[in-house]
Amino acid sequence: MADLLAILTNGANGLSAHRAVAQTAAHNLQNVNTEGYSRQRVDLEAMPAEFVRTNAYAGLGVGIGGITQSRDAFIERQMPTALGAQAQHSAESESLRSVVGLDPESGSGLTATLGQFYADLRALSQNPSQPGLRAAVVGAARSLTATFNRTAEGIENARKGVDGRIQASVDEANQLAQKMASLNAQVVKARASGAEPNDLLDERRNTSDRLAELLGGQTIPDGEGNLNVALPGGFVIVSGTRAATLSTAADTTNGGHLVVQVTRVGATTPQTLATANLGGEVRGALDARDGTMLQTLQSLDTLAFEFASALNTQHQAGFALDGSAGQAFFQVGATSTGAAASLAVNPNLVNDPSLIAAAGSATTTPGDASNLFALINTERQPLASGASPSDGLASIIATFGSRTRAADARAQQEKAIMTNLQTLRESASGVSIDEEMIELTRAQRAFDAVSRVITTADEMLQTLMSLK
Amino acid sequence: MRVTDKMVFQNANDRSMRARERLERSVSDVSTGRRIQHPSDDPAGAAFVSTAKIAETRFSAIEQAVGRASDELTVAENSMREMGNVLVRGRELAVQLSSATYSGADRSASAAEIDGLFRNMLGLLNTEMGGRYVFGGFRDDAPPFDSAGTYLGDTGVRQVEIAPGVLENASLRADVAVKGVGGGVDVLQTLQDFAQALRDDDVPGIQTAIQQLEQGLNQLNQASTTAGGSLTILESAAQASRLGRDQTRVQIAGVAEVDLVEASGRLALANTALEASIAATAQSFRLTLLDRL
């Protein structure tokens, strides 16, 4: 009698176990498209057998050993680094591709306007007193300076755009760091009850993945169930249930562009994080802003400064139409800093093109073009940095292009690695509808069978009860 | 490898995106005809195009400048030739009127024709082109000769750039060719002296004029020959610049422009690849246990 009742009890446990299997399969199916969801499975265990008599143990059915996630720790450990690297190089590549103005085929670019300036000087050399030709030279010079200004501003605006991206990333990283700390607390609390909080673990992994995309770094689990986050330079921004605070500040030594700072838990003073100590999108954006973009801008400044200085020196050696000594052709500062953005044609020449110093002597005006020929020669002569203006421009274009191309290539390479890892992770942790349907059917069959066991035990009990 | 539904969809999405990206790039290549949309598309090519575009503009500018100089020098040469004709006429008259068959009255009457030749010379020497006087040297904004035949210009010789850094003379020195600076004959003074000799019935003076007109004619011929030589150089420079410009354009096109035949082939291939990707994706979505259970 007691054994038959045990069958009923064990049957009820079996029904519960198989219902849990079906419920988990249903949960998996419902989360088939949930980002970062890891497939869960019920670990069924045979219940310890009961001693019946000597040499005889009777089984007590099935029970739930636990509900675990299908995860590959080896792959997952590689994910933050891969995510950070991919995000870093993609951010650098995207930022550099946003820079326009160095297209050699643009009709209004530096190539076209530099070529036209010298072409108009050549035209003037054939009739130096002709007012229309003088006005054309001034117009071409203004067009050239405006193009230098526009190109430099374009690069500077792209750098400011990167600042906006950094600010947004830092804001998001702060929210994520706080969320990680909170999730750590929830996970530790849930584990204290003895169960594995699978869905919390998924959410925490999603959060750490996104944090890795923004800032790079590594996740470091501890024995208490926390997942700590350290930046590439080693600074820990999430430690257990506490999160440091990131912020930005204007760097006066870098034109007021943003620098990333961090304030430790309990501290009040932020400390600046060097670019090398960051990773992810923020690092890529900083590399683009303070690397290729800044170097291109500085090269452009150097070209503008040296070009204007060379032209000014030669122009001042000549004589204007009225016999007066040549003035500076361009307005340019004392150093190359900011030269491309501020370069302008001397307003006196703009107002009075007759001041173009075409003649080589005060007594040879108006038909002498010898100083114009000397000005034209600056097209071929090396500037202070060793290249002619056109070669200098070509070098800037080539350097910028090759660095952008290298960033593109690295981004593609990291994306391939990332895609491969994501595929492996998905293969280990993702949900297969076919698999879950089979699991659901399997659970249903088992449920049916256990139900039949209960029915049979009930009939046996009925039989026993009806014995007289 | 375990294949999940998400992998199937993700892979389908990735393949489709890649195929669409290739198609978009091919469409852009064919529609714009440009290979280099950003310096990173071909850094070395972009640098070459930049340098070559400036070189192309330079060749065109040199060709135009040489053309303008050539036009001016042609006008100067024609004027010199015309002045030579004037001197030939003067010499003919001098030879005729130095003969004993002419009376003093005949000679005096002929002086008016020599005065006319003198004025004709002045007109030719004050030839203007494009607002500048071609025989004034660097002083090209005012007539280089006054009515008395005094030269008001300077000794400057205009030049033109025929190749980067290479200059060629593009004007004639009227002070040398006409006024005899540097050891020649002052042609205008000779005509004036000749006219005066006719008025004075000064036969030895007329005979002197014959020799000086002959020498002046040689001076003018020499100037014309110099101008002709320079014109030949300018013509070949213009031709070289045209050739250089055209070759540079071809080189730029080779680097910066899309080969339309090849690009059209790539476009067709990209189109086919996208269609195949979509078909394969649809096929992979078709098989599922959901339809069988």
Side-chain angles (χ1 to χ4, degrees):
Chain A
M1 182 75 172
D3 289 346
L4 285 173
L5 286 173
I7 292 172
L8 283 176
T9 306
N10 295 341
N13 290 339
L15 284 179
S16 174
H18 293 298
R19 196 182 60 224
V21 171
Q23 189 178 347
T24 303
H27 184 55
N28 287 338
L29 281 170
Q30 285 160 36
N31 284 288
V32 67
N33 289 331
T34 304
E35 194 57 44
Y37 178 79
S38 297
R39 177 181 177 242
Q40 296 176 14
R41 50 176 295 165
V42 178
D43 298 325
L44 295 177
E45 289 178 355
M47 298 302 287
E50 181 188 31
F51 180 77
V52 182
R53 64 172 71 99
T54 306
N55 296 331
Y57 286 87
L60 294 178
V62 67
I64 299 172
I67 299 177
T68 55
Q69 289 180 306
S70 303
R71 294 170 79 154
D72 186 326
F74 173 70
I75 294 166
E76 290 193 6
R77 207 160 291 140
Q78 299 175 59
M79 288 300 291
T81 306
L83 278 166
Q86 194 259 333
Q88 176 185 334
H89 295 299
S90 290
E92 186 182 3
S93 164
E94 285 163 17
S95 299
L96 292 178
R97 280 201 162 266
S98 71
V99 174
V100 293
L102 291 172
D103 177 5
E105 291 219 79
S106 166
S108 57
L110 278 173
T111 298
T113 50
L114 183 63
Q116 193 56 48
F117 172 68
Y118 281 107
D120 284 344
L121 280 180
R122 286 186 166 91
L124 181 60
S125 74
Q126 286 317 293
N127 197 347
S129 59
Q130 224 274 327
L133 294 175
R134 283 180 172 261
V137 167
V138 170
R142 293 182 73 189
S143 178
L144 176 61
T145 57
T147 310
F148 264 115
N149 302 159
R150 202 173 54 244
T151 307
E153 280 163 16
I155 297 173
E156 189 53 33
N157 284 341
R159 296 185 77 211
K160 285 177 182 159
V162 170
D163 282 339
R165 184 174 190 162
I166 290 168
Q167 183 63 61
S169 296
V170 164
D171 290 345
E172 188 183 352
N174 274 330
Q175 290 174 6
L176 292 169
Q178 291 294 339
K179 189 177 176 185
M180 276 290 289
S182 169
L183 285 166
N184 276 341
Q186 292 176 56
V187 167
V188 169
K189 189 177 171 187
R191 279 183 173 161
S193 67
E196 196 68 0
N198 294 323
D199 295 314
L200 278 178
L201 293 177
D202 282 344
E203 194 178 352
R204 190 171 70 173
R205 189 184 64 184
N206 285 348
T207 307
S208 68
D209 280 358
R210 180 61 189 145
L211 206 48
E213 281 183 337
L214 292 173
L215 299 173
Q218 274 290 348
T219 51
I220 306 159
D222 64 18
E224 296 170 12
N226 292 308
L227 197 59
N228 305 307
V229 180
L231 296 179
F235 193 95
V236 177
I237 56 165
V238 178
S239 175
T241 57
R242 297 176 304 168
T245 306
L246 294 167
S247 58
T248 57
D251 182 359
T252 51
T253 63
N254 189 17
H257 289 288
L258 298 183
V259 67
V260 180
Q261 297 181 317
V262 65
T263 308
R264 292 174 191 275
V265 176
T268 54
T269 310
Q271 65 182 88
T272 300
L273 282 169
T275 303
N277 292 333
L278 288 160
E281 285 179 19
V282 172
R283 169 69 181 273
L286 285 168
D287 281 345
R289 190 193 72 186
D290 298 337
T292 304
M293 282 186 194
L294 181 59
Q295 283 155 13
T296 304
L297 192 57
Q298 287 169 340
S299 299
L300 208 59
D301 281 342
T302 303
L303 176 65
F305 177 75
E306 292 182 353
F307 167 76
S309 300
L311 264 289
N312 283 349
T313 302
Q314 189 56 56
H315 193 255
Q316 284 166 324
F319 293 86
L321 211 48
D322 61 1
S324 62
Q327 304 178 13
F329 200 107
F330 294 104
Q331 279 187 326
V332 65
T335 65
S336 66
T337 307
S342 62
L343 189 66
V345 179
N346 183 342
N348 293 340
L349 268 69
V350 174
N351 295 331
D352 183 7
S354 75
L355 292 176
I356 293 175
S361 157
T363 60
T364 54
T365 58
D368 180 17
S370 56
N371 198 48
L372 279 178
F373 289 123
L375 286 168
I376 291 167
N377 274 344
T378 61
E379 187 186 29
R380 297 178 301 111
Q381 287 163 351
L383 299 172
S385 55
S388 67
S390 59
D391 287 346
L393 177 59
S395 171
I396 291 171
I397 292 171
T399 305
F400 174 74
S402 60
R403 287 185 178 174
T404 306
R405 196 182 175 94
D408 283 348
R410 284 198 299 269
Q412 292 294 328
Q413 198 177 359
E414 296 296 343
K415 189 179 178 188
I417 294 169
M418 187 64 234
T419 303
N420 186 43
L421 276 175
Q422 276 176 330
T423 302
L424 290 173
R425 181 162 84 171
E426 180 59 24
S427 178
S429 305
V431 175
S432 161
I433 292 176
D434 291 350
E435 206 172 51
E436 298 306 327
M437 288 305 296
I438 291 168
E439 189 70 2
L440 200 58
T441 307
R442 201 158 61 100
Q444 185 190 5
R445 291 273 172 89
F447 191 89
D448 288 348
V450 174
S451 300
R452 183 65 62 84
V453 168
I454 290 171
T455 306
T456 306
D458 183 47
E459 286 171 3
M460 288 166 71
L461 271 172
Q462 289 292 337
T463 304
L464 199 60
M465 296 288 279
S466 60
L467 287 176
K468 292 177 181 170
Chain B
M1 179 188 250
R2 190 168 162 271
V3 178
T4 68
D5 291 80
K6 199 171 168 190
M7 284 165 68
V8 170
F9 284 102
Q10 189 61 48
N11 289 341
N13 191 47
D14 289 348
R15 280 195 300 268
S16 169
M17 282 297 112
R18 278 199 298 272
R20 281 192 190 279
E21 193 183 339
R22 277 198 296 271
L23 181 63
E24 188 55 34
R25 176 75 209 201
S26 299
V27 167
S28 172
D29 284 353
V30 171
S31 58
T32 64
R34 294 176 55 188
R35 250 188 82 238
I36 303 172
Q37 318 266 357
H38 189 272
S40 61
D41 293 335
D42 180 357
F48 171 79
V49 168
S50 175
T51 312
K53 283 261 178 193
I54 290 174
E56 182 195 348
T57 309
R58 184 191 306 129
F59 280 127
S60 294
I62 288 175
E63 186 197 349
Q64 285 174 12
V66 166
R68 275 192 289 267
S70 186
D71 291 345
E72 230 175 62
L73 195 54
T74 302
V75 168
E77 190 201 19
N78 289 340
S79 296
M80 280 290 162
R81 198 167 293 130
E82 204 54 43
M83 282 187 268
N85 293 337
V86 170
L87 290 195
V88 167
R89 176 61 186 153
R91 190 184 58 187
E92 284 171 5
L93 286 173
V95 170
Q96 281 176 21
L97 294 169
S98 64
S99 163
T101 56
Y102 286 88
S103 65
D106 292 335
R107 292 190 182 102
S108 184
S110 298
E113 187 177 354
I114 301 304
D115 288 342
L117 292 179
F118 175 79
R119 287 193 297 276
N120 195 1
M121 283 285 282
L122 283 183
L124 291 167
L125 286 167
N126 286 333
T127 297
E128 195 182 359
M129 189 195 172
R132 65 197 307 220
Y133 292 90
V134 296
F135 290 116
F138 293 151
R139 289 189 191 158
D140 58 3
D141 56 342
F145 289 87
D146 63 13
S147 57
T150 308
Y151 182 61
L152 304 174
D154 63 15
T155 58
V157 176
R158 298 171 203 170
Q159 292 184 304
V160 62
E161 187 187 32
I162 56 171
V166 182
L167 301 178
E168 174 62 28
N169 289 345
S171 71
L172 295 173
R173 280 186 63 177
D175 59 330
V176 173
V178 178
K179 296 297 283 182
V181 171
V185 170
D186 183 341
V187 174
L188 293 174
Q189 189 60 53
T190 299
L191 284 174
Q192 285 173 316
D193 290 347
F194 178 30
Q196 191 57 48
L198 288 173
R199 284 189 192 94
D200 296 344
D201 196 21
D202 176 8
V203 174
I206 295 170
Q207 285 168 341
T208 303
I210 293 171
Q211 289 172 356
Q212 289 185 331
L213 286 171
E214 187 68 37
Q215 198 177 337
L217 197 56
N218 286 339
Q219 277 174 212
L220 294 181
N221 284 339
Q222 197 175 345
S224 288
T225 306
T226 304
S230 291
L231 278 171
T232 306
I233 292 170
L234 295 188
E235 177 53 36
S236 66
Q239 204 171 352
S241 292
R242 269 194 301 275
L243 190 66
R245 182 199 61 202
D246 293 345
Q247 282 178 342
T248 308
R249 278 182 184 163
V250 170
Q251 287 173 330
I252 291 171
V255 174
E257 291 177 13
V258 164
D259 177 346
L260 276 179
V261 174
E262 187 262 339
S264 300
R266 268 193 294 116
L267 177 61
L269 194 64
N271 205 30
T272 307
L274 180 58
E275 281 178 9
S277 169
I278 291 169
T281 300
Q283 189 68 27
S284 69
F285 290 167
R286 196 171 294 160
L287 291 174
T288 169
L289 256 184
L290 288 172
D291 296 338
R292 320 280 167 154
L293 289 174

